[in-house]
Amino acid sequence: HILKGNSEDSLGGVFVLWDARGQQELEQAVLKAERLAIMGQLAAIALHEVRNPLSAIKGFLQLLKRELEDVRQLEYVEVMLDALDRVNNLITNYLRLAKPGIPERQFCDLEELIRDLISLYDVEFKSKGISFLFSCHSGLPPVYLDREQFHQVVVNILKNAVEVTPSGGEICIGIEYLKEKDMALLFVRDTGIGISEEALPRIFDPFFTTREKGTGLGLHVCREIVMNHGGEIRIANNFGRGCTVTVTIPCHKK
């Protein structure tokens, strides 16, 4: 910038320099985020289309399984069906992660919801020799949540608890009312092997799993759903054996 006096004579100039790296890095970060968003949308569309042929394959394999009841090759069909279930679970969890959806919340009886889910696992509890305990706070008000999404959360937690609890073990489910915070607290406590101290900080990371057949997306999706409800989910090892998953959720509109 040229500095001039009253007679338009040049008195000097000012030369300004600044570091533009920060702005450039920000622009690059925005471009990268846009590319990732587009890639995520394309992946979700592609995976949605992949599910259709997978469903057809699974349907015909199930029909074939009935025809091969006493044939040695039945074992091959069962392996293929198991593999298809794993792929379908991965796709389902990815699609929930890519598009979890805004919760369509309404007032819900949490005790009724949990009892309905427990009934689904009753046969599995008995077949594995797992003892089961359920308790609910008598003064619990209706909880403001998306029933279908919260159903996914509890199913995932219960499924994990059943898988890690050995025969002769115990699973406890409890619901408490935190009156001062106007929050419902749900906990699921198992007597499995617990979680290693190295794995515990990463337990909600996408694609991180401690199980051979796990996808590593289930708990991450659970956390996204709970957070979208204004709640919180935590996992901690018990003092004795196993671990406890704790979910807190608002009872009224926030």
Side-chain angles (χ1 to χ4, degrees), residues 59-77:
F60 282 109
L61 279 174
Q62 288 173 328
L63 291 173
L64 188 61
K65 181 180 177 181
R66 294 176 194 153
E67 300 292 330
L68 297 175
E69 286 189 7
D70 299 320
V71 180
R72 183 174 61 85
Q73 283 78 8
L74 177 62
E75 180 183 345
Y76 305 154
V77 176

Side-chain angles (χ1 to χ4, degrees), residues 64-224:
L64 188 61
K65 181 180 177 181
R66 294 176 194 153
E67 300 292 330
L68 297 175
E69 286 189 7
D70 299 320
V71 180
R72 183 174 61 85
Q73 283 78 8
L74 177 62
E75 180 183 345
Y76 305 154
V77 176
E78 291 176 341
V79 170
M80 286 187 284
L81 283 170
D82 183 59
L84 283 173
D85 282 337
R86 291 180 63 188
V87 172
N88 188 57
N89 287 336
L90 178 61
I91 292 174
T92 300
N93 284 326
Y94 179 86
L95 291 175
R96 287 174 182 165
L97 178 63
K99 191 179 179 181
I102 299 172
E104 296 181 4
R105 291 190 265 185
Q106 57 186 342
F107 287 108
C108 168
D109 186 333
L110 186 58
E111 180 179 3
E112 179 189 355
L113 186 152
I114 300 302
R115 287 191 184 276
D116 288 345
L117 287 174
I118 290 170
S119 65
L120 298 176
Y121 286 88
D122 187 55
V123 174
E124 192 166 358
F125 285 144
K126 291 177 180 177
S127 65
K128 288 192 67 175
I130 298 173
S131 301
F132 176 74
L133 297 173
F134 175 68
S135 62
C136 181
H137 193 282
S138 58
L140 180 71
V143 178
Y144 194 58
L145 51 76
D146 184 314
R147 186 183 179 93
E148 183 179 346
Q149 288 191 6
F150 202 72
H151 181 280
Q152 296 172 12
V153 172
V154 182
V155 163
N156 197 292
I157 295 171
L158 267 179
K159 183 179 178 181
N160 289 345
V162 171
E163 288 182 358
V164 300
T165 303
S167 178
E170 181 180 82
I171 293 177
C172 299
I173 299 180
I175 306 173
E176 300 175 2
Y177 178 45
L178 308 178
K179 189 174 182 179
E180 294 145 3
K181 297 181 179 180
D182 194 27
M183 304 269 285
L185 183 148
L186 167 72
F187 68 84
V188 178
R189 182 183 302 121
D190 64 62
T191 54
I193 59 174
I195 304 170
S196 69
E197 294 302 318
E198 295 79 17
L200 203 53
R202 301 185 57 199
I203 202 68
F204 292 109
D205 289 355
F207 300 107
F208 176 79
T209 180
T210 58
R211 304 198 315 273
E212 182 181 346
K213 295 185 178 182
T215 63
L217 283 176
L219 285 175
H220 182 75
V221 171
C222 285
R223 186 176 67 171
E224 292 298 308

Side-chain angles (χ1 to χ4, degrees), residues 24-60:
Q24 292 174 349
E25 289 173 358
L26 181 60
E27 290 173 353
Q28 290 297 320
V30 171
L31 290 173
K32 183 178 180 181
E34 290 177 349
R35 285 197 298 269
L36 289 174
I38 293 171
M39 290 171 63
Q41 291 172 2
L42 290 174
I45 293 170
L47 288 175
H48 185 75
E49 293 302 318
V50 167
R51 295 182 77 179
N52 294 329
L54 284 179
S55 298
I57 294 170
K58 183 177 179 181
F60 282 109

